[in-house]
Amino acid sequence: GSVLKSGYTLKRSRSFAAHGELVIVGAREHNLKNLTVRIPLGQLVVVTGVSGAGKSTLVNAVLVGGLQRSSDRGDCDAIEGAERVREVVVVDAASLARSPRSNPATISKAFDGIRRRFAATPAATRMGVDAGWFSFNRPGGRCETCQGSGEIVVDMQFLDDVRVVCEQCDGTRYRREARTITFQQRNIVEVLALTLEEACEVFLGDTSIVSKLKPFVEVGLGYLQLGQPLSTLSSGEAQRLRLGLALAEGKPRTLYVLDEPTTGLHPSDIQVLVHCFDALLAKGSSILVVEHNLELIRSADHLIDLGPEGGPGGGRLLATGTPADLAASSISITGAALRDMRNL
C-alpha cells in the first residue's frame, strides 16, 4: 500500500481554482483521530497515505455517507458546506446497471434517435411500424423466441444455466422482417455492430444521436460497439462509461468520488481518465479521489495526506495543500515520494 512510482508523466488541461469548500468536522470513525478536513470544491482533490491510514473511511464512510444521509454513515460532528453540493456520485464498476440487455446505445439513449431514423425509412413507413418496433425490449420487430436477448437460457437443474445462441434469429435479436429494413445500406443489427466512432460518422448531423455518443468517444471508448453488452466491459471501461454519462449529463455542483480508479489501467488509459476529470471540472463539478498512483497525486490541484501508518498508527492529518506543499512536508511519506520525483 505504498505510493506507486511510475515512468510516465500525466498532463492536465489546466489547473482549476476552488469555488467554496466542504469541511468535515471531528471525524472519529474507525482510526480517524477527531479530524477536521477541508475539501476544496471545483478541483481535483486527491486523498493520499499508506494503506490503512483511514483514506476510504474518511471519504466513503464519513463524507459520502454523511452527504447521502446514510444510516451507517461514519461518525463526525458535522459536514459544513454540504449545501454547496447538489449531488454526490460514487463512480465505480458497480454504479452501472450492467445487464445483458444494457449496451452503449441504450445507456446513452442514442438508441432512441437511431430507432426513429429506422422508423422514418420508406420501408418502415410502408409496413406501418414506429420507433418502438425496433426495440429489442418490447414485442414488435424483435425475435419472440428469445424475446430480443439473442440467446436461450437452458435450465440445467443442479448446474449453472447454459446460454445458447437463439437459432430462430441467429443471435441477432431481431425478426427477419426487421432485418430487411435498412438505413444507409445497414439494417438494425449492422448498425448495432458499429463502433461508437463509426456511428458518429454514419449519423453525422443528427444531434439526437451524435450528441449522446460524443461524450463516450471523448473518454476513450470510441472503440466499443453500440450493441456491446455492458456485462462484457472491464471495470476500467465501466468506470469511464460512468464518467461519459456524467459528461453527457453535465450537472454542475456534483461531487464525483472515486476510490483508486487507476488500478489495473495502462498509463494511456490513466491519461484519458485525467482528461475526463478536467472535462467534468470545466462543467462546474468537483472530483475527489483516493489514490496511490504518484503521477495522479502529482497532478492534483489539492492533496489531503493521512498517516503516518496504517491501523491504530494512522488516522492523522499529516499535510494538505498543493503537491509542492506536500513535498515540503517533513513528516509525509507522500511528500518524500514527491521530492524524489523532482530529484529524478
Side-chain angles (χ1 to χ4, degrees):
S2 60
V3 175
L4 300 181
K5 301 197 176 185
S6 59
Y8 61 96
T9 302
L10 291 177
K11 293 181 174 60
R12 296 280 306 279
S13 61
R14 63 186 174 94
S15 59
F16 289 83
H19 48 73
E21 63 181 11
L22 292 171
V23 184
I24 301 172
V25 181
R28 294 177 297 277
E29 188 70 13
H30 295 321
N31 68 339
L32 299 179
K33 308 292 195 295
N34 198 29
L35 299 188
T36 293
V37 182
R38 297 178 181 277
I39 302 169
L41 295 172
Q43 293 189 315
L44 172 56
V45 179
V46 178
V47 182
T48 61
V50 298
S51 290
K55 304 184 298 298
S56 293
T57 299
L58 179 70
V59 172
N60 296 317
V62 178
L63 180 64
V64 175
L67 290 175
Q68 294 180 336
R69 303 185 187 282
S70 168
S71 59
D72 60 348
R73 59 184 177 269
D75 190 20
C76 72
D77 292 331
I79 299 176
E80 297 175 356
E83 71 282 354
R84 295 178 176 273
V85 175
R86 186 174 64 184
E87 184 180 1
V88 56
V89 176
V90 177
V91 180
D92 58 20
S95 62
L96 282 174
R98 297 198 287 173
S99 79
R101 288 182 179 269
S102 298
N103 57 44
T106 59
I107 200 168
S108 67
K109 297 191 166 48
F111 201 35
D112 297 344
I114 290 170
R115 290 188 287 109
R116 282 196 295 269
R117 295 304 292 266
F118 271 93
T121 60
T125 303
R126 284 194 301 272
M127 290 174 63
V129 299
D130 61 7
W133 195 79
F134 293 94
S135 169
F136 47 73
N137 287 322
R138 53 189 274 194
R142 75 178 186 180
C143 171
E144 285 306 316
T145 302
C146 62
Q147 296 191 321
S149 69
E151 58 187 17
I152 304 292
V153 178
V154 181
D155 183 359
M156 299 298 286
Q157 304 241 336
F158 300 110
L159 301 173
D160 289 341
D161 291 345
V162 173
R163 296 176 182 273
V164 296
V165 173
C166 176
E167 292 184 4
Q168 187 67 36
C169 66
D170 288 329
T172 64
R173 300 180 173 215
Y174 288 94
R175 291 165 45 192
R176 184 183 55 78
E177 292 87 344
R179 287 177 272 152
T180 63
I181 299 173
T182 60
F183 173 80
Q184 293 191 7
Q185 291 80 52
R186 292 179 178 86
N187 65 26
I188 190 74
V189 178
E190 291 165 333
V191 164
L192 285 171
L194 294 172
T195 66
L196 305 193
E197 264 182 318
E198 290 168 342
C200 286
E201 294 174 14
V202 169
F203 294 100
L204 189 66
D206 190 329
T207 55
S208 72
I209 299 170
V210 176
S211 66
K212 303 280 198 307
L213 297 177
K214 275 291 186 188
F216 300 98
V217 176
E218 288 173 20
V219 300
L221 296 176
Y223 60 86
L224 294 181
Q225 290 180 312
L226 280 173
Q228 183 172 338
L230 298 190
S231 55
T232 66
L233 301 188
S234 69
S235 59
E237 287 170 332
Q239 183 174 260
R240 275 189 281 161
L241 198 67
R242 185 66 193 82
L243 289 171
L245 273 175
L247 278 175
E249 292 163 356
K251 295 178 181 175
R253 291 176 52 210
T254 299
L255 173 64
Y256 294 96
V257 177
L258 300 93
D259 199 337
E260 302 198 27
T262 68
T263 302
L265 294 188
H266 185 273
S268 61
D269 290 326
I270 298 173
Q271 181 64 71
V272 171
L273 192 66
V274 169
H275 285 322
C276 295
F277 291 164
D278 286 344
L280 284 169
L281 293 172
K283 288 178 178 283
S285 298
S286 303
I287 311 282
L288 181 62
V289 182
V290 173
E291 189 55 76
H292 286 115
N293 182 285
L294 199 53
E295 277 298 334
L296 186 54
I297 291 169
R298 184 166 71 165
S299 302
D301 296 310
H302 185 85
L303 297 173
I304 298 166
D305 193 48
L306 303 183
E309 301 169 8
R316 291 182 170 83
L317 184 62
L318 300 183
T320 64
T322 65
D325 292 334
L326 247 71
S329 168
S330 60
I331 59 173
S332 167
I333 294 172
T334 305
L338 288 169
R339 286 196 300 276
D340 287 347
M341 287 186 84
R342 292 198 301 194
N343 294 332
L344 291 178

